[in-house]
Structure formats: C-alpha cells, structure tokens
Amino acid sequence: MAVSAAGARARDLVSWFESNGGQKSLAVELAEDEQHAFHFRALSDVDSQESASKFKICSCPTTLSLSYLNIIPVGEKVLDGVSVRFCGGNLTPLWDVVPSHILSRFVLLEQTALKDHSFWAPYINALPTAFDTLMYFEPEDLKWLDGTNLDTFRNIRHSLWTSEYHLVMRALRERGIDSSQFSWDSYVWAASMYTSRGFDSTLVFPNLELDRFSVLYPFLDSLNHDSNARVDWDMKSDAFTLSTHETLKKGDEIFNNYGSKGNEELLAGYGFCIPKNPFEQVAVRLGGLIPPIKQIIRENHILDPKDMTEDDFGRDLYLRAPDCKLGRYDNHHSWLGGIPPLLFKVALGIYLYTTSRPENLRYDRLDAKPGRHIIGAVRQLLQVLEVRRQKIAGGAPTSEPANTRQHYARIYRNGQLSVVNCNIAELRKVLPQFVGERSTVLSPSSILTTRDAITQLETENPDAARAFVEGVNKVLVDPMNAAEMQAADCEDIVWVFWLTYAYVLTENNPPSKIHAWLRNLRAFYKFKLRDFDSGVEEAYVPPAYPFAAEKIAEVAGELGGAWTTCTERKDVIFWAAEVVQFEAWQVFVHEDDKNGGVEEERESRWVMYMDEEA
C-alpha cells in the first residue's frame, strides 16, 4: 500500500525524533486527519484507572527544542546549564541585540532555508504551510470579525509583526549580513508557528533569567487541544515529558490541554474555536479614564491600594457567563458575578463623578443594600454592554460561512455575544427592561414612570396634582397619557417639570414620601443646585434646561400658584434637568401590552429610581 506524502513525513519525523533521544510510547502513533494535519492516536486500549501511574505519551529532550537559545554561543552564562543544540549561523551576532521572541522566529526561518541540511529538517518538513489564524484571514474572512475585539486586534498584530520584521532586517543590513532568505510572508508563517505550537519559556526553562519567549518542542507539539483533557507537563532542564490520566480506547485521539483559553485567544493564536467554549470570556478595556474619575475612585476607597496603579486602569478585564469554568467574580451580589470587580468599581466611580457623593455613604461596602450609587453603576454598565452587544451583533454577515476561517469566526462571535447577553440579563434583574416587570433586587415601588410619580403627588396633595397635570397639558401633552408623551417624545421633560414642582411643594413642608425621595436625590446632587442670581456663568447646561425653563415660565404666566414659584427657582429647574440627565433611563412597553402581540417597533418610557433612604 502506497504511503501518502503526509504519512512519509510522519514516519520521517518519528524516526528522527527517536534516533535523537526522543521517547514515544509504543501504544501511540502519529497520524494524519482528513485535512492532512497530524495528531496522536492510541494504538491500543489504555486504562489510566488501572495503571499504577499516569500514562506517558512522549518525552522530548531539550536538545531537540528550537528557539533563539540555539544560536547563543556555547559557554554564555545565560544558558544556566540548559542543554540545547547550538546551530550557529548568520543570526548569532544578534542574540543579545534583538528581542528573544522575534529572533526565535528568524532562527526557524534560517533552519527552514537550509532544507535537508538542517538538523531539524524532518520536523520542519512536517510543519503546516498555512494557518487559519488572524494573519491568514482574507478580506472576505475579516468581514466575519466586524464588531468584535479581533477585528481591531488583527490590525494591531499586523502592525506589531511588521515593525518586528523590519527591526531584524535593518539589524542584518547594518551588519552586512545577507537577509534575502527572510521574506515578510515567511516571517508571518514563522510567527504563527510559535503562537500556535510554542511553549512558554517561563514554564519550560523556569530558571533562566531571560525575557519571555516561545520554544518549539518537535513531535510533542503535534497533539491537539481539549480543554477537558487531564494531562501532566513534566518540564525538567533536560526534557519535556507529556503524560495523560485519560482512559483511551484503540483508535481514540490523544489530546493535550493548552490551558483555560477562550475562543478569542484560540482563534488569534491557534486558528480554531470550540463551540460553547466553557472558558469563553469577553475582553473589555477601560481605556483612558480622566484623572478626576481616578481621583474619585481612590479618595472614596472604592479600590484596594493594591488595585490603584496606572497599569490596573489600562489592562484588559474579562466578562464571564454564569457557567464559565473560570468561576464567578466576588462582587457580593449574584447579579454581578460576571462583571470584573475593577470594571464595576470604575462604573461606580464614573457615576459618582456626575454626583455630589454623599459624605455619609460607604462606597467600599458593595455588599450592602443596593442604593442609588449601586443602581447608577449598574446603569453605566448596562450602557456599555448594550453598545458592545449591538456592535458584535450588528457586524454579523447574513450569509453562511464559506470556509473554515469564517466558520470559526462565527463560533467566536456567537460565543462573545452569548457572554454579553448573559451579563445584560443578570443586570436586568436589577433594572428591568420592560414596563411592568419587577426587579428581583429593588422594591416593587422604587422604579417609577411619570404616571407613578403624579399618582403619588395626588395621594399627598390632590389639588397640587390637578394643577400640575393642567399646567403640563397646556404647554406639552397630557402627562397621564403615555401614548401622547411617547408620540411627542417628551417624557424626560415631564420628569423635569415634576421634580421642579415637587421640590418647590415639599421643600418647607412636613416630611412625606415625595420629600424622602427628593432628600435622597439632593444627597447625591446637592451641589448641583445653582444660584443663578450670583451672576456666575455656568460652563455646562443640561440639554433639557433651556426648554424646560421656558415652558415652566409659560405655565406660570397662565396658572400662577406653585408654578410661579417654580419659574422663580431657576436653580431648581437646573437641578431637576441635571438629575433627569443622569438618573432617568428608558424602558420598553411590552408588545403584547400594546398590540396584542403584533411585532412592531417597541415604544419606550422614561423611568427613575426613587429611594427613601439616602
């Protein structure tokens, strides 16, 4: 029976590996799949439960490893007793000039150019010639990444690798060394080889005091990944041994376990994805927080001292789904379990930046009853997550994948979208999305529409409530008619009217529920009350203020009474407009409530959180 080209390469690799000190169990073989890629397969049954010890798959001596260590002159102290094969070559003068991870890739290229004259020729001949990693995505493939993190990451990686490539080419030219054998395409291939097959130097050579780089271990690097595989990596100074605790049947594929990697890392570095990956996460970068927000976070002890470095504010944070095997975050509330603590605390800091920050509130007590500051942070998070959800979902092609890269890209996108949707759903337990739904965290009466607020005013002061409804109806719409407010898109203005009117009525009156609500709001916005008679020009004016002030003046001219006091208190109108800007948010009316289940565009209502406790 004729041996395929891939079969011949596998045979040559095994022969070279074993003749140079590599060890392979007689119960395993190197096989090729339908795509002519290599993998390990069991030749007989292996019962790890009955075995007195774990089953050793193979062991690769460090003398077969390939990295920039192979061009460091023998005797250099940096090797610290590690035994690697010195291959010399034109790159040796650069060993302490070019970063190690970059030079390792050029070492592979130099050995590849030697063809059969290279010691590693049987290994290099068995390596894949192309990948499904990001750098191999064609323009049509890249469309499948639109709106995801990898859409941007691909450009970043391309720019980084380009600068790395030219760094070495320039160093070679400056030393008069021939660089014609190193093309850009070949560098992409070599770099992809190390991202997909390399092992971290800090793991395989923990005693070397060198910058981190990747190391290729021939033969051993042919095992595919399974996140559930129970394996042992035994790394010594002279060999890397891989063993498994799995029970195997004859013909089973034998897997390595690359670690707890989500699909973003797998697709970027390895060129594949796992459907419903149990380690899937969504990376969120805080970006550039302005100094005042960082100062608020520090001054209010929202973060522990160890979390207060600039690096913490700039690093990636990861959203997790409820079933993520990496576990839930400890945020004291189950509905925050998928949110990184630093991300939530930054959201809290952003909210506090817009308020007066009551002095009697402990912002580091996140395990307490959710108050206005916690609800404000949740709203901040929901805004961020909704934008992320729309971005990921909006970039999805409507066609079916045309190749493997597009297939994996769709798996990746769906996984990212699922994680974001899970976190939105959990936060919606606090702040429901639809009118009529109740929070599982807040009291049923704490999230109000304008109708709820007017009804409470009617309970406490019927005459004032009638005057309020009459005044709003004269200059805007009937505030008790949700359809009219939705059609005019003015419910946020009605809230400004109500807050101003209620403030004037209750400011000097005996305590009531409305008085308690406004006391809570004043605690967070006490410095937002502006004295317009002082002549101080305001650098910022809430968008709703000019229109609301004008319309309230019109009502006062016709009805007088409390409305006259309202128009005289422009500082209160300003305060109310700013409160609405930062405290009101939109929820939707259920379709079946409006149209008997007919699918139409959802209409929204503006609601506010009202709490009697400051």
Side-chain angles (χ1 to χ4, degrees):
M1 181 177 179
V3 179
S4 68
R9 291 195 299 272
R11 180 194 58 202
D12 292 344
L13 174 57
V14 173
S15 176
W16 170 82
F17 178 73
E18 293 184 324
S19 64
N20 286 283
Q23 298 177 10
K24 175 187 74 69
S25 169
L26 295 176
V28 303
E29 69 169 342
L30 186 65
E32 60 174 314
D33 59 22
E34 295 177 354
Q35 287 75 40
H36 304 294
F38 292 128
H39 64 276
F40 276 45
R41 187 166 58 198
L43 288 174
S44 60
D45 294 351
V46 175
D47 191 341
S48 63
Q49 304 301 320
E50 296 180 359
S51 176
S53 62
K54 57 198 173 189
F55 173 65
K56 186 170 79 172
I57 301 170
C58 62
S59 180
C60 181
T62 56
T63 51
L64 296 186
S65 66
L66 188 59
S67 70
Y68 98 111
L69 296 181
N70 299 100
I71 64 168
I72 297 179
V74 177
E76 289 289 344
K77 292 183 179 180
V78 295
L79 292 176
D80 192 28
V82 172
S83 179
V84 295
R85 186 182 187 89
F86 177 70
C87 62
N90 291 334
L91 296 171
T92 293
L94 303 183
W95 80 266
D96 58 351
V97 176
V98 174
S100 54
H101 71 284
I102 305 173
L103 199 52
S104 291
R105 300 163 183 174
F106 276 85
V107 171
L108 173 59
L109 290 180
E110 187 173 55
Q111 292 302 309
T112 302
L114 292 174
K115 298 184 178 179
D116 289 342
H117 296 291
S118 169
F119 169 74
W120 287 273
Y123 168 61
I124 294 173
N125 291 338
L127 292 175
T129 57
F131 295 88
D132 288 322
T133 52
L134 292 185
M135 294 298 289
Y136 286 84
F137 272 49
E138 299 292 341
E140 285 300 312
D141 303 328
L142 291 173
K143 292 179 181 179
W144 288 78
L145 297 176
D146 284 351
T148 68
N149 288 334
L150 289 185
D151 182 20
T152 304
F153 180 76
R154 196 265 183 189
N155 296 330
I156 294 173
R157 171 161 285 184
H158 186 280
S159 177
L160 176 63
W161 284 9
T162 300
S163 64
E164 292 172 347
Y165 171 71
H166 288 297
L167 171 69
V168 177
M169 297 298 281
R170 185 166 54 251
L172 290 171
R173 288 194 300 270
E174 289 172 352
R175 289 161 177 78
I177 301 174
D178 180 23
S179 61
S180 60
Q181 61 186 310
F182 305 121
S183 68
W184 162 246
D185 288 341
S186 67
Y187 181 73
V188 171
W189 172 81
S192 300
M193 202 65 66
Y194 275 94
T195 65
S196 64
R197 304 174 77 92
F199 293 88
D200 191 331
S201 63
T202 61
L203 296 176
V204 294
F205 301 129
N207 296 324
L208 290 185
E209 296 181 0
L210 298 171
D211 291 337
R212 175 175 289 183
F213 58 98
S214 290
V215 183
L216 294 177
Y217 272 88
F219 189 72
L220 186 148
D221 62 5
S222 298
L223 281 85
N224 290 321
H225 169 62
D226 184 342
S227 60
N228 293 315
R230 296 172 298 155
V231 299
D232 278 345
W233 292 6
D234 187 7
M235 299 172 178
K236 293 185 170 60
S237 60
D238 61 342
F240 179 1
T241 301
L242 181 66
S243 303
T244 182
H245 293 275
E246 299 292 337
T247 296
L248 303 170
K249 295 294 184 182
K250 181 179 179 179
D252 284 351
E253 181 172 356
I254 305 172
F255 290 96
N256 193 357
N257 189 332
Y258 301 171
S260 307
K261 299 183 184 299
N263 281 337
E264 189 160 285
E265 184 176 359
L266 290 176
L267 184 56
Y270 299 85
F272 69 91
C273 287
I274 300 173
K276 298 182 180 179
N277 190 328
F279 297 102
E280 187 69 320
Q281 302 183 98
V282 175
V284 178
R285 177 156 291 186
L286 296 177
L289 291 178
I290 61 176
I293 294 179
K294 293 181 181 179
Q295 183 178 354
I296 288 170
I297 292 172
R298 292 188 175 101
E299 288 180 351
N300 290 281
H301 307 292
I302 295 173
L303 293 178
D304 296 329
K306 64 180 180 1
D307 294 325
M308 294 169 64
T309 67
E310 289 299 315
D311 289 342
D312 282 309
F313 287 115
R315 62 186 169 89
D316 283 341
L317 305 173
Y318 295 91
L319 303 172
R320 295 176 181 172
D323 57 353
C324 180
K325 280 193 173 182
L326 294 170
R328 303 286 278 166
Y329 293 110
D330 182 14
N331 280 318
H332 303 291
H333 299 291
S334 61
W335 38 271
L336 282 175
I339 305 294
L342 180 58
L343 180 61
F344 180 75
K345 291 171 181 178
V346 167
L348 177 57
I350 293 173
Y351 173 74
L352 295 179
Y353 176 67
T354 68
T355 72
S356 303
R357 303 183 298 284
E359 297 176 359
N360 63 337
L361 200 59
R362 285 282 303 279
Y363 300 110
D364 56 339
R365 287 290 309 281
L366 300 183
D367 55 339
K369 170 184 175 291
R372 185 169 300 282
H373 61 303
I374 301 294
I375 303 308
V378 169
R379 289 207 318 276
Q380 291 285 340
L381 286 173
L382 277 170
Q383 290 175 15
V384 170
L385 295 184
E386 285 289 357
V387 170
R388 176 59 65 91
R389 185 192 67 79
Q390 293 171 15
K391 189 175 181 182
I392 296 174
T398 56
S399 60
E400 287 296 308
N403 57 41
T404 303
R405 291 185 290 274
Q406 294 175 15
H407 170 69
Y408 285 141
R410 181 165 71 172
I411 292 175
Y412 160 65
R413 179 193 298 279
N414 290 343
Q416 296 281 287
L417 193 58
S418 176
V419 173
V420 173
N421 283 337
C422 283
N423 279 278
I424 290 176
E426 288 196 295
L427 294 180
R428 286 296 180 196
K429 294 178 182 178
V430 185
L431 298 180
Q433 187 177 16
F434 292 96
V435 171
E437 289 184 354
R438 293 304 182 187
S439 169
T440 61
V441 176
L442 305 175
S443 63
S445 60
S446 60
I447 299 177
L448 309 181
T449 63
T450 49
R451 184 185 185 92
D452 297 326
I454 295 170
T455 299
Q456 182 60 36
L457 179 60
E458 186 176 27
T459 299
E460 297 183 14
N461 191 331
D463 292 338
R466 282 192 293 273
F468 176 80
V469 171
E470 181 183 359
V472 176
N473 199 16
K474 281 184 176 295
V475 295
L476 289 176
V477 295
D478 180 0
M480 300 300 283
N481 189 319
E484 285 189 22
M485 284 191 293
Q486 290 161 3
D489 190 23
C490 67
E491 191 169 12
D492 56 334
I493 301 297
V494 174
W495 266 118
V496 177
F497 276 41
W498 187 90
L499 286 171
T500 304
Y501 194 82
Y503 189 106
V504 167
L505 286 177
T506 63
E507 185 175 19
N508 299 312
N509 288 341
S512 63
K513 177 171 283 192
I514 292 178
H515 183 275
W517 288 347
L518 299 186
R519 182 181 64 229
N520 178 274
L521 280 170
R522 284 197 296 267
F524 280 85
Y525 291 89
K526 59 185 176 183
F527 299 125
K528 305 295 182 180
L529 290 170
R530 312 303 173 103
D531 183 1
F532 278 70
D533 295 328
S534 65
V536 177
E537 292 187 5
E538 294 297 329
Y540 168 77
V541 175
Y545 168 74
F547 181 77
E550 176 187 343
K551 292 301 179 181
I552 288 174
E554 289 183 21
V555 178
E558 293 193 37
L559 299 182
W563 286 108
T564 300
T565 307
C566 288
T567 198
E568 293 171 350
R569 294 295 302 274
K570 290 185 172 59
D571 59 329
V572 176
I573 302 173
F574 191 103
W575 170 83
E578 200 154 29
V579 167
V580 170
Q581 180 181 354
F582 294 117
E583 293 291 330
W585 74 94
Q586 290 178 291
V587 296
F588 296 102
V589 179
H590 273 296
E591 292 293 343
D592 52 4
D593 290 343
K594 299 193 297 126
N595 306 309
V598 178
E599 188 67 26
E600 294 183 6
E601 184 177 353
R602 295 181 300 188
E603 294 181 351
S604 62
R605 297 293 306 274
W606 285 88
V607 298
M608 287 188 64
Y609 169 69
M610 292 296 187
D611 192 0
E612 298 179 38
E613 299 178 17

